Amino acid sequence: MAQRIGIRQLVEFVLRSGDLNQRQGSQNTALDGARIHRRLQKQRDDAYQKEVYLKQPVTMNGHDYVIDGRADGIEQTTTGYLIEEIKTSDVPFDQLSANTLQLYWGQVQVYGYILAQQQDLAQVTLKLTYFQRTTKVETPTQKSFTREQLTAFFTDLIQQYEEWLVLRDQWRAERNRTVKQTDFPFPAYRQGQRELAVAVYKTILLHKRLFVEAPTGTGKTISTLFPAIKALGEDQIQRVFYLTAKQSTRQVAEQAVALLSQQGLRLKSITLTAKDKLMFAEEVDVPPEQNPYMIGYYDRIKPALKDMLSHEYQLTRPVIERYARRHQVDPFEFSLDASLFADVIICDYNYLFDPQVYLQRFFSQADPDNFFLVDEAHNLVSRSRAMYSAEIGTQTFQPLSQALKGESSATISALKTPLNKVKRALTKMSKPLREQQVAELTNQAPLTTLNQALADWVLKVHDWLGENPDDPQTELVLDAYFSSLSYLKISELYDATYQTLVRYQAKTHQTQVSQLCLDPSAFLDRALALGSGAVLFSATLSPLTYYQQVLGSSPDSLPFQLATPFSQQHQALLVTTYIQTTYRQRQRNLTKIVASLGALVQGKPGNYLVFLPSYQYLETVAAAFQQAYPDIETVSQASQMTEEQRQAFLARFKPQTAHTLVGFCVLGGIFAEGIDLKGERLIGVAIVGVGLPGLSTARNLVRDYFDGQQGTGFQYAYQLPGMNHVLQAAGRLIRGSQDVGVILLLDQRFASSRYTKLFPAHWQHFQRSASVQQLTQQIQHFWRAHDA
């Protein structure tokens, strides 16, 4: 089957030159552009054919390709054929760079070549129509090309592109040869590991989606990456995206690729790092037109890519930075350009799912060569709601309003009018709240007046920034500008899965408007459909039916659950039935909670973690515990810990210790998942409460939405997210085959069928404890049996 290359992709890769200037261009959205295209196309004659698909088969480096794209319009006139290409932007036509015009004309020349070949034409007329969105000025330009001119242009384009295809095919041939020689990197599979690897491989072959719950210790990263790489070596797919929520899991994926490379595997892997972290110190706060790493970027990027890709396989952050310095190119953009040649791309969720920052070079349309591995998929539920939501308010504009108060110049006055219009729209939104004397109201409709005011403000600011790039107020303007853009982009997605929440603070007279996405599953489904399939996996994905629904399951997606690879005899799971931790009962049950924690840690000297639902409750329980057991060493998680503080906290949990250390942490916080305290570094975990998230209007809206859909509101909004926090915290305990310990669940609700039915398979051996005395006996019995 011939591989597809888009006309725009081809033209931009070969012809792009000059500076990387991220201030230039347009804030025109895809939706805006499509609307403008349709409006202009409707104005054309009846003979005008719009959105004409054109394709040209070519052979490059011995392989068949199809060069294709859609011409905006083709018209057959009395003098011949005319092809129109419509471009929309905010920049005035006479300010477009020479390279931008070269790219525009390059695209329409390829359309002209294909049409001339198909229709056997001696000449074609090409028309470039440029529409400036801010002024609505339309600038048409027309040129005629002979078939010979178009053929020469296209041939040169293909020859230059072919040089890179030759290199890519050489790299892929080496990849495929070494993949075939690469074995699983461990002497034997753990229990369940082979089954998972086989399931992943079959999912790739069948182009399905697989939802996997594989308990801690299964070795999920290597069990998913290894079969995906095997599929790469057989050309079943050409690109694996390993998507994660945290830096720590990205490092685990890097380590897995490095482990396979020790066997001689040669594939290109790249780790994409956020722009604010992948930037040289000398680039910070330097405008693009003065940044030496952006000036002439496109003139140096191809030698830089060829150098790095010819000598490196694992393109980690240090490697990218080293070659970026050598060739004086911006490291972040360099990494994105290098990713086009990578076989494995390790990156954050937002590069696929976030509508504001997704990788357009890969995800502008579906590509069956892509396959997605989504790690720690339970995190995607809350992350995706945030990605598809946005908020704005008077506080967004307050710093700018204050700064502009004393300004009276003509330049500043141009900003004040649209800014005041936005502020009036926000005031109008809060009027019902002020009249009813309430703090918040919800509405299931987009706010047209506010959206229009923001759109007018954005247009005015875009023009102003072009004329005043170095104004003293530019930074404040940019802050408000980008917040407005973000809000407007989300407003384009607003549908029945959204609610609008308006809040008003009477003391400060602040109004805040939020567009809340309650169910992003359809958006996630669309994103996952941009590849041939996906595996979404986590140690905690129970119940699978819930995660399949909220994470964009397709009708033929497959569930897969693995049993724990470790012996149940290594873990005691104890549920107290005599403790209540609801907010009203906490103080009354404090003595029982402290006594139960005492029974846990006195069962055996060692390291323990206690998880609590909030910092305030943590401080209360930790203080009471210290008073009751002053001889036992404790350490508590603090809010806003630096990386050094986090590492120092974990470093206190030492192996083979003769004394006891109790760490108090927040459930759902930084120490509740993603940390690895193996062996005797941790022998017990206690969880106080069922982890229900705090009550909030936003979460109640999620509850009401799913109640209306299927009557599962409380479960979806509160119970299941809370239970996932519990499972993640408990998963800190047994990390390897030699680990042993006790999990203590301190809340009588855990013993009810509403919760026991949510327990994973390896929790079915749990025991109930009716008193501190019984709990003490159970813990002592467990450790005696284990020691024996």
Side-chain angles (χ1 to χ4, degrees):
M1 181 179 174
Q3 295 182 53
R4 175 192 167 276
I5 300 173
I7 289 173
R8 183 171 178 175
Q9 172 191 340
L10 171 70
V11 169
E12 288 189 353
F13 184 82
V14 175
L15 297 183
R16 180 161 273 171
S17 63
D19 302 343
L20 171 65
N21 192 338
Q22 294 163 332
R23 287 188 183 176
Q24 289 179 351
S26 174
Q27 296 305 327
N28 193 25
T29 66
L31 191 59
D32 283 336
R35 286 171 181 158
I36 293 167
H37 275 58
R38 287 196 296 270
R39 187 166 71 247
L40 294 178
Q41 287 166 336
K42 283 182 181 178
Q43 297 171 5
R44 306 301 183 242
D45 297 337
D46 293 340
Y48 185 91
Q49 299 177 60
K50 61 183 180 181
E51 302 298 326
V52 180
Y53 177 70
L54 295 171
K55 67 176 183 178
Q56 178 67 33
V58 297
T59 300
M60 292 185 283
N61 194 33
H63 299 290
D64 293 332
Y65 293 87
V66 170
I67 310 297
D68 68 349
R70 289 190 180 276
D72 290 323
I74 296 180
E75 185 176 356
Q76 188 172 8
T77 66
T78 53
T79 57
Y81 280 90
L82 179 144
I83 303 176
E84 181 179 38
E85 177 67 13
I86 301 170
K87 295 296 182 183
T88 63
S89 181
D90 296 347
V91 181
F93 182 76
D94 58 5
Q95 292 181 24
L96 292 174
S97 69
N99 185 238
T100 298
L101 288 171
Q102 184 184 25
L103 296 176
Y104 288 172
W105 279 110
Q107 193 173 337
V108 73
Q109 280 177 268
V110 175
Y111 292 136
Y113 166 77
I114 296 174
L115 189 68
Q117 291 293 106
Q118 290 179 351
Q119 301 294 333
D120 194 20
L121 305 175
Q123 180 176 299
V124 181
T125 301
L126 306 181
K127 180 181 180 182
L128 174 65
T129 301
Y130 181 78
F131 186 90
Q132 186 185 349
R133 191 175 65 121
T134 52
T135 60
K136 297 182 172 53
V137 171
E138 188 177 332
T139 307
T141 313
Q142 199 163 296
K143 297 180 182 179
S144 292
F145 292 85
T146 65
R147 182 172 177 176
E148 289 73 20
Q149 289 174 314
L150 295 170
T151 300
F153 172 79
F154 185 77
T155 301
D156 181 61
L157 207 63
I158 291 299
Q159 286 174 349
Q160 290 189 58
Y161 196 80
E162 187 174 20
E163 293 177 21
W164 289 89
L165 290 180
V166 170
L167 288 173
R168 192 189 68 178
D169 288 346
Q170 289 173 354
W171 295 327
R172 284 184 176 174
E174 182 183 32
R175 176 197 74 188
N176 292 358
R177 177 180 57 79
T178 59
V179 166
K180 290 179 174 63
Q181 298 168 359
T182 302
D183 296 322
F184 192 70
F186 298 104
Y189 286 93
R190 292 178 185 172
Q191 180 184 333
Q193 210 168 21
R194 185 179 183 86
E195 290 90 335
L196 175 55
V198 170
V200 171
Y201 184 76
K202 287 182 177 178
T203 301
I204 295 171
L205 295 186
L206 297 172
H207 309 295
K208 301 283 187 182
R209 289 183 205 165
L210 185 70
F211 288 78
V212 179
E213 182 178 60
T216 300
T218 307
K220 295 181 287 296
T221 302
I222 196 66
S223 301
T224 53
L225 260 179
F226 179 70
I229 287 171
K230 282 293 185 182
L232 279 172
E234 296 168 0
D235 285 327
Q236 298 292 336
I237 50 177
Q238 296 298 342
R239 224 172 279 107
V240 175
F241 288 86
Y242 193 98
L243 300 146
T244 75
K246 295 184 176 71
Q247 180 65 34
S248 58
T249 43
R250 289 196 281 280
Q251 291 170 351
V252 172
E254 287 179 349
Q255 291 163 7
V257 175
L259 188 63
L260 293 168
S261 71
Q262 292 173 11
Q263 294 189 38
L265 175 66
R266 295 292 178 265
L267 58 70
K268 307 291 183 189
S269 70
I270 190 167
T271 305
L272 298 181
T273 306
K275 182 177 177 60
D276 59 347
K277 295 180 181 176
L278 190 58
M279 178 185 292
F280 295 134
E282 56 269 37
E283 289 188 276
V284 178
D285 296 329
V286 176
E289 59 273 14
Q290 297 174 22
N291 186 333
Y293 296 94
M294 293 185 177
I295 298 170
Y297 172 89
Y298 290 112
D299 300 326
R300 298 188 297 275
I301 185 60
K302 289 175 186 172
L305 286 171
K306 192 172 290 187
D307 186 14
M308 182 170 71
L309 292 166
S310 298
H311 296 96
E312 306 289 345
Y313 292 95
Q314 277 195 272
L315 310 179
T316 57
R317 177 178 172 177
V319 171
I320 291 164
E321 288 178 333
R322 185 168 75 251
Y323 281 87
R325 281 201 179 280
R326 180 184 298 177
H327 292 274
Q328 199 171 322
V329 291
D330 176 73
F332 176 72
E333 290 294 331
F334 182 39
S335 70
L336 296 183
D337 286 330
S339 69
L340 289 168
F341 299 91
D343 307 299
V344 175
I345 300 171
I346 303 166
C347 59
D348 188 86
Y349 292 158
N350 57 15
Y351 285 104
L352 171 62
F353 298 110
D354 194 319
Q356 311 216 41
V357 298
Y358 72 96
L359 291 172
Q360 293 191 28
R361 64 195 69 207
F362 291 113
F363 304 133
S364 58
Q365 60 185 25
D367 186 345
D369 282 342
N370 297 333
F371 192 84
F372 307 123
L373 300 177
V374 185
D375 195 2
E376 302 289 356
H378 64 275
N379 284 308
L380 188 54
V381 180
S382 58
R383 277 285 298 274
S384 60
R385 282 200 184 108
M387 288 175 190
Y388 291 95
S389 298
E391 64 182 31
I392 204 159
T394 49
Q395 205 163 2
T396 309
F397 302 95
Q398 193 167 17
L400 179 61
S401 295
Q402 292 283 68
L404 298 185
K405 263 187 179 177
E407 300 276 355
S408 57
S409 64
T411 14
I412 295 301
S413 296
L415 287 179
K416 284 184 176 180
T417 301
L419 180 58
N420 289 333
K421 184 179 176 182
V422 171
K423 290 161 68 177
R424 285 196 298 274
L426 286 166
T427 301
K428 184 179 179 182
M429 298 315 311
S430 66
K431 184 180 178 182
L433 286 84
R434 287 180 275 121
E435 291 176 344
Q436 299 175 41
Q437 294 186 337
V438 294
E440 55 188 32
L441 286 174
T442 58
N443 181 14
Q444 197 177 14
L447 306 176
T448 309
T449 303
L450 176 60
N451 292 351
Q452 187 58 56
L454 286 169
D456 294 344
W457 152 255
V458 162
L459 286 175
K460 178 59 69 175
V461 171
H462 188 272
D463 290 345
W464 186 89
L465 286 170
E467 297 165 4
N468 306 277
D470 301 315
D471 190 273
Q473 310 302 342
T474 295
E475 287 305 313
L476 289 175
V477 172
L478 283 172
D479 288 343
Y481 175 62
F482 287 128
S483 295
S484 303
L485 277 177
S486 177
Y487 185 91
L488 287 171
K489 285 179 181 177
I490 294 301
S491 71
E492 293 179 355
L493 305 173
Y494 201 105
D495 60 15
T497 66
Y498 277 80
Q499 280 272 7
T500 300
L501 173 63
V502 184
R503 289 192 174 99
Y504 178 71
Q505 278 190 342
K507 286 184 179 179
T508 58
H509 306 292
Q510 299 283 353
T511 303
Q512 184 185 59
V513 179
S514 302
Q515 301 174 108
L516 301 176
C517 182
L518 310 178
D519 178 14
S521 57
F523 300 124
L524 298 179
D525 175 51
R526 249 173 265 162
L528 291 171
L530 294 170
S532 63
V535 177
L536 298 92
F537 55 99
S538 171
T540 57
L541 222 56
S542 290
L544 272 170
T545 51
Y546 160 71
Y547 284 100
Q548 282 179 274
Q549 180 181 349
V550 297
L551 294 179
S553 170
S554 58
D556 58 350
S557 67
L558 307 169
F560 188 78
Q561 284 180 299
L562 281 176
T564 178
F566 308 130
S567 170
Q568 290 186 0
Q569 295 177 347
H570 285 198
Q571 176 179 280
L573 180 63
L574 306 173
V575 180
T576 61
T577 59
Y578 56 89
I579 288 176
Q580 294 177 287
T581 68
T582 56
Y583 190 78
R584 291 182 179 179
Q585 296 293 333
R586 285 179 183 177
Q587 194 61 38
R588 191 179 301 172
N589 283 260
L590 184 59
T591 303
K592 294 177 185 177
I593 291 170
V594 170
S596 301
L597 295 176
L600 172 66
V601 304
Q602 289 176 324
K604 184 182 177 72
N607 300 317
Y608 296 85
L609 284 175
V610 179
F611 291 96
L612 299 111
S614 69
Y615 281 105
Q616 184 179 359
Y617 196 28
L618 181 156
E619 291 170 1
T620 299
V621 174
F625 183 87
Q626 288 165 342
Q627 186 175 0
Y629 303 96
D631 296 333
I632 295 178
E633 183 184 359
T634 64
V635 60
S636 294
Q637 176 185 346
S639 62
Q640 305 298 321
M641 294 175 79
T642 64
E643 183 60 31
E644 292 74 19
Q645 290 171 327
R646 295 180 192 182
Q647 294 303 322
F649 181 95
L650 295 174
R652 296 184 66 171
F653 291 78
K654 301 183 186 300
Q656 299 176 336
T657 180
H659 75 289
T660 294
L661 172 67
V662 182
F664 289 90
C665 303
V666 174
L667 194 61
I670 55 175
F671 299 119
E673 61 176 287
I675 64 166
D676 213 7
L677 298 173
K678 291 184 177 179
E680 293 183 355
R681 292 187 69 192
L682 188 65
I683 65 168
V685 167
I687 299 167
V688 183
V690 293
L692 294 179
L695 290 170
S696 69
T697 302
R699 200 167 282 278
N700 285 342
L701 289 172
V702 174
R703 178 199 62 196
D704 296 343
Y705 172 85
F706 281 107
D707 265 342
Q709 295 289 309
Q710 58 202 43
T712 56
F714 178 78
Q715 192 179 29
Y716 278 28
Y718 288 99
Q719 186 188 15
L720 292 175
M723 191 60 191
N724 191 277
H725 286 157
V726 170
L727 292 170
Q728 280 291 322
R732 298 315 94 209
L733 183 61
I734 304 295
R735 311 294 296 177
S737 59
Q738 303 304 313
D739 294 3
V740 178
V742 178
I743 295 175
L744 179 58
L745 303 181
L746 294 164
D747 193 308
Q748 65 180 16
R749 286 173 288 184
F750 282 120
S752 68
S753 61
R754 189 173 190 175
Y755 278 90
T756 56
K757 70 181 182 183
L758 300 177
F759 284 8
H762 60 284
W763 276 25
Q764 296 307 315
H765 68 297
F766 73 93
Q767 301 174 62
R768 291 179 171 86
S769 302
S771 65
V772 174
Q773 292 75 19
Q774 184 181 8
L775 176 66
T776 302
Q777 293 169 2
Q778 289 168 326
I779 292 170
Q780 290 174 350
H781 176 75
F782 171 77
W783 286 118
R784 279 199 302 268
H786 177 262
D787 292 341

